[in-house]
Amino acid sequence: MVALGTAESAATFAQKAPVPEKFIFADPVNATTDALQLYKGFDQGEQTINMYKKLGFRGSIKKLQSLREAAKGYDTSVSSPPVLEQVTYQGGLYVFKGYNEVLYEYKDPSPGVHAPLEEVLAACCA
C-alpha cells in the first residue's frame, strides 16, 4: 500500500487499521500519484454520478454517516498530507504479476468510488 504523507503518518495509520506497517509505504512528495497519473481533484465525471444514483439519497446519507463514524478520533495533525493539495488526490488499485506485468488497473475517479470487486477478483484469479 502506498499512502500520501510522511513515515510518521503511515505508522499512525498502521496502528489504527489492520495493516502491518511494513506494507505501508509513505510518499510525501506524491511521486507514485504522479508516475501512475492518478486523478487529482474530487470529481472525474460520470462514474461518480452513477454511484450516487445507485445509492440514492438515503444511501448517500448513510455513506456520509459511516464516514463520520469512521473519522471519530482521527488525528489530523499527524495524518494530514504534507501538502494541502494532496487531500484531493484520488487513489487506485493495481494487480501485478511479478514486478513488471500489470494485470489490472483502476484509478479512483472520486472519493467513495473504487474498483469493482468482481473485476479485481477476476484479475487476481486469472
Side-chain angles (χ1 to χ4, degrees):
M1 170 185 281
V2 177
L4 291 175
T6 63
E8 181 183 43
S9 64
T12 300
F13 177 80
Q15 290 172 355
K16 295 182 182 232
V19 179
E21 190 175 342
K22 68 181 181 180
F23 295 125
I24 303 173
F25 301 95
D27 184 4
V29 296
N30 52 279
T32 306
T33 300
D34 293 344
L36 295 174
Q37 298 178 342
L38 297 175
Y39 298 123
K40 297 176 181 179
F42 285 123
D43 188 7
Q44 306 305 320
E46 195 63 30
Q47 288 182 330
T48 305
I49 293 166
N50 288 338
M51 183 208 54
Y52 288 114
K53 281 181 183 175
K54 265 182 166 172
L55 287 173
F57 179 74
R58 289 183 186 182
S60 297
I61 296 297
K62 190 172 186 176
K63 190 168 187 135
L64 287 173
Q65 289 170 336
S66 297
L67 181 59
R68 188 177 303 127
E69 184 65 30
K72 279 185 181 173
Y74 193 68
D75 184 359
T76 58
S77 67
V78 174
S79 54
S80 294
V83 179
L84 185 58
E85 180 183 271
Q86 292 173 330
V87 171
T88 68
Y89 291 4
Q90 303 306 313
L93 190 141
Y94 294 81
V95 175
F96 294 93
K97 182 176 182 179
Y99 292 102
N100 298 317
E101 187 179 352
V102 178
L103 298 178
Y104 182 79
E105 172 187 35
Y106 184 88
K107 297 178 182 183
D108 297 346
S110 65
V113 182
H114 306 294
L117 183 58
E118 303 81 26
E119 292 179 12
V120 177
L121 293 176
C124 290
C125 300

